[in-house]
Amino acid sequence: MTPDAKSGRTVGAAADRGVLTGEEYADDSRLSDRISLYEWQRPRLDLGATVLERLRGLPGPGPVLDVGWGTGALTRRLRADRPDLRVVPVDLSAGLAPEVVGEVDRLPFADGSVGAALAMHMLYYAADPANAVRELRRVLRPGGRLVASTNGAGDKPQWARLWTDTLRDLGVADPPPYDRGDSRFDLELGAALVREVFGTVDVHDHRYEIAVPEAGPVLAYLHSTRGQQARALPKGLTWADFRSAASDRIQAEVDRAGAFVLTGHTGILTAVA
């Protein structure tokens, strides 16, 4: 982890591309496990409706790039509600079956050829987030819109606490820091980057709570992060060791409080080219 030059905050290193395409997003199963936890989000954020609102008045046919399309849920929603727009799914991982396999740092689209670009909870995976924002700006035509989402710097601190406490349970006196994976383009850093490239940015904050009344979905979420987190474990510990000890902690918290509670902070960034 390294300090960000402008904010002074510590940010994680870029994710390994082989881990992303070969493990984390070889298919959408791990992503689906993470998304399923949001069934308990209160108040709910309807991401599709939020994006549609920010595309209101955008003339067809677009195109609209859904960069990092994941499970495809957003593309399907846009196609159903705005059939006049040509939505093009783009993703780094061929295993997710996008229409275009491409990286946000090097989009295979001409300058000024796109009506809107969506980058939902994915710019922290870019090899260079600042360059990725510039690349998104490059492909937008004048008046085109960028809609991006990410998490705030204080999002879900309970994961870091679980990581540290579990490692101490396993005898690690000085646990390594927890890498959330999104610190390279969190809401605060991301807004600054978009503002720098586009001139202005609109920030929509959403704070919420997830209270999961059973341990299973929480453990499934945790297990879905193993591609990166297992590599950060101290020498001599396996992911099975960590998962078992964390499962005990998660179940104990559900038994004690009636739910495993996460406090979240996310946001939507909108800018016009």
Side-chain angles (χ1 to χ4, degrees):
M1 301 180 78
T2 57
D4 174 71
K6 291 188 176 181
S7 70
R9 287 197 280 110
T10 300
V11 299
D16 182 280
R17 308 334 257 169
V19 172
L20 287 177
T21 59
E23 293 185 45
E24 293 286 355
Y25 299 102
D27 56 39
D28 67 5
S29 58
R30 296 189 188 186
L31 179 58
S32 295
D33 281 342
R34 290 195 280 276
I35 291 172
S36 67
L37 209 64
Y38 289 81
E39 175 184 343
W40 291 276
Q41 183 190 52
R42 300 292 185 273
R44 296 295 299 270
L45 174 64
D46 186 334
L47 195 59
T50 302
V51 171
L52 283 163
E53 176 62 29
R54 278 146 185 78
L55 296 182
R56 179 179 294 185
L58 184 74
V64 174
L65 305 184
D66 185 2
V67 184
W69 88 311
T71 65
L74 182 57
T75 286
R76 291 190 292 272
R77 175 75 178 270
L78 295 179
R79 286 175 172 173
D81 287 27
R82 286 290 306 271
D84 58 308
L85 296 178
R86 182 164 65 91
V87 184
V88 180
V90 182
D91 206 284
L92 174 67
S93 176
L96 294 177
E99 288 181 10
V100 176
V101 176
E103 194 156 4
V104 67
D105 304 83
R106 297 185 298 276
L107 291 168
F109 298 91
D111 295 359
S113 61
V114 170
L118 314 177
M120 315 311 291
H121 280 80
M122 56 76 59
L123 280 166
Y124 36 77
Y125 290 132
D128 181 344
N131 184 62
V133 174
R134 289 191 291 269
E135 184 70 351
L136 290 163
R137 173 66 180 81
R138 177 188 67 78
V139 301
L140 287 171
R141 65 174 61 104
R145 301 175 199 175
L146 169 68
V147 184
S149 64
T150 189
N151 298 317
D155 181 64
K156 303 184 193 70
Q158 293 81 10
W159 289 129
R161 193 175 310 133
L162 178 66
W163 168 265
T164 299
D165 290 346
T166 299
L167 288 178
R168 286 180 175 146
D169 291 344
L170 292 167
V172 180
D174 187 19
Y178 176 74
D179 183 0
R180 295 182 356 179
D182 56 9
S183 59
R184 301 172 66 250
F185 189 90
D186 62 29
L187 192 58
E188 296 76 12
L189 293 176
L193 282 178
V194 173
R195 186 179 297 110
E196 183 176 306
V197 173
F198 283 80
T200 61
V201 61
D202 176 74
V203 181
H204 172 76
D205 275 290
H206 184 75
R207 296 178 186 270
Y208 60 90
E209 181 178 276
I210 294 174
V212 189
E214 53 190 289
V218 182
L219 187 59
Y221 185 110
L222 178 70
H223 192 49
S224 77
T225 69
R226 64 194 180 276
Q228 292 288 342
Q229 301 302 340
R231 289 167 170 78
L233 289 173
K235 188 176 180 179
L237 286 181
T238 68
W239 181 254
D241 295 331
F242 180 83
R243 184 172 183 262
S244 177
S247 177
D248 291 342
R249 276 199 162 268
I250 292 166
Q251 186 62 62
E253 181 63 15
V254 171
D255 292 343
R256 182 193 69 81
F260 189 90
V261 178
L262 298 159
T263 52
H265 176 205
T266 193
I268 311 294
L269 306 172
T270 309
V272 178

